[in-house]
Amino acid sequence: MNIGLFGGTFDPMHRGHLALAEAARARYELKLIYFVPANISPHKQQPVASYMHRYAMVVLATAAEKSFIPSLLEAPGEDASSAEALSERLKRKAQKESKSPAGASYSIDTVHKFKKTLRKSDKLFFLIGIDAFREIAKWHEPQALFRECEFIVASRPGYSLADVADALPETLRPADAVTHPFRKQAATGDLVLPGVTIHLLEGVHQNISATSIREAASKGKPLGKFLDPAVAEYIRKMGLYRDRH
Ligand code: ATP
């Protein structure tokens, strides 16, 4: 069974996230997609809304779609008491070079944890937008992440497979002569290299960002066109993003 894992800050979850998941589900026959709100994302600014609010919004936004599953994989303290989690924390503490904030959720750890729940015959796809993918070389153990799952990268007009290749960590990046012919091609296709399989997915054109939604919410503007109505109502009801300006 093909299964998708879609992580993000989801601060808040919006129609762009849903469009990406829906396009990936249809194109790669994903039977289930797990939406994993990050506890503390090591790659980004800290979220504005708390983990619980962001998780609640993921629950509301995915409620109508049977194959979209909200996931608590990165919930704070989710497995804090297990021996495995303790040894993982100690190991991480020993990694002196790590610059990520304490409590950060590394995608590679999430994927390892998630794969323990899958069957051998399941195939895991990591869903991500091209904006986030361009930072992938800076992530924790990106090579390991590529070994563990295939990537589905939602492209945007103007991007090609060459941009995807350029974003890879140096050890995985193909020579320029290999990627050059792709530079003028459409923003779709597959990049298959030793230890890396990336599918570039086109057709996700929702010009929406969580940043602009938070901005609109802080000014009391209507949010309906960016969000699932239940999420928009939740933001209003709970007064999220209101006190930022
Ligand atoms: P922010 O504006 O706070 O950075 P964001 O929506 O870009 O918010 P995340 O919630 O972390 O950030 O995004 C989760 C994933 O969804 C990332 O892989 C991101 O590239 C992708 N994504 C975000 N917005 C869109 C969009 N409009 N269309 C397609 N993918 C998107």
Side-chain angles (χ1 to χ4, degrees), residues 2-56:
N2 289 350
I3 295 180
L5 192 69
F6 188 18
T9 320
F10 301 133
D11 189 19
M13 179 144 178
H14 55 66
R15 290 196 198 280
H17 301 129
L18 288 167
L20 188 161
E22 180 48 40
R25 187 183 69 79
R27 174 74 181 79
Y28 299 100
E29 298 179 348
L30 306 180
K31 294 286 177 260
L32 297 170
I33 298 179
Y34 288 81
F35 291 76
V36 189
N39 176 15
I40 301 170
S41 172
H43 318 298
K44 296 184 60 164
Q45 257 189 318
Q46 295 317 301
V48 175
S50 70
Y51 178 88
M52 272 195 269
H53 282 314
R54 291 180 291 112
Y55 179 75

Side-chain angles (χ1 to χ4, degrees), residues 6-11 14 16-17 20 44 127-132 154 204 206-212 214:
F6 188 18
T9 320
F10 301 133
D11 189 19
H14 55 66
H17 301 129
L20 188 161
K44 296 184 60 164
L127 276 50
I128 186 168
I130 187 115
D131 293 343
V204 184
Q206 295 274 341
N207 198 11
I208 304 173
S209 78
T211 306
S212 57
R214 292 193 299 272

Side-chain angles (χ1 to χ4, degrees), residues 202-230:
E202 69 170 352
V204 184
H205 302 307
Q206 295 274 341
N207 198 11
I208 304 173
S209 78
T211 306
S212 57
I213 293 171
R214 292 193 299 272
E215 182 101 5
S218 76
K219 294 181 180 136
K221 289 188 182 166
L223 305 173
K225 66 176 179 199
F226 310 118
L227 299 165
D228 180 280

Side-chain angles (χ1 to χ4, degrees), residues 107-175:
S107 297
I108 185 63
D109 296 340
T110 305
V111 164
H112 280 147
K113 198 157 125 187
F114 184 57
K115 280 189 100 173
K116 288 187 187 147
T117 68
L118 301 183
R119 296 206 202 100
K120 270 226 150 53
S121 55
D122 291 333
K123 190 166 165 183
L124 184 60
F125 293 79
F126 192 96
L127 276 50
I128 186 168
I130 187 115
D131 293 343
F133 186 81
R134 290 174 77 202
E135 302 293 313
I136 196 93
K138 295 188 203 143
W139 288 23
H140 189 60
E141 297 183 12
Q143 290 88 346
L145 196 55
F146 283 113
R147 273 197 307 275
E148 292 294 342
C149 41
E150 298 193 5
F151 270 62
I152 298 174
V153 180
S155 67
R156 287 199 294 157
Y159 283 94
S160 73
L161 269 184
D163 298 298
V164 169
D166 289 347
L168 289 172
E170 218 172 322
T171 52
L172 298 174
R173 205 178 302 153

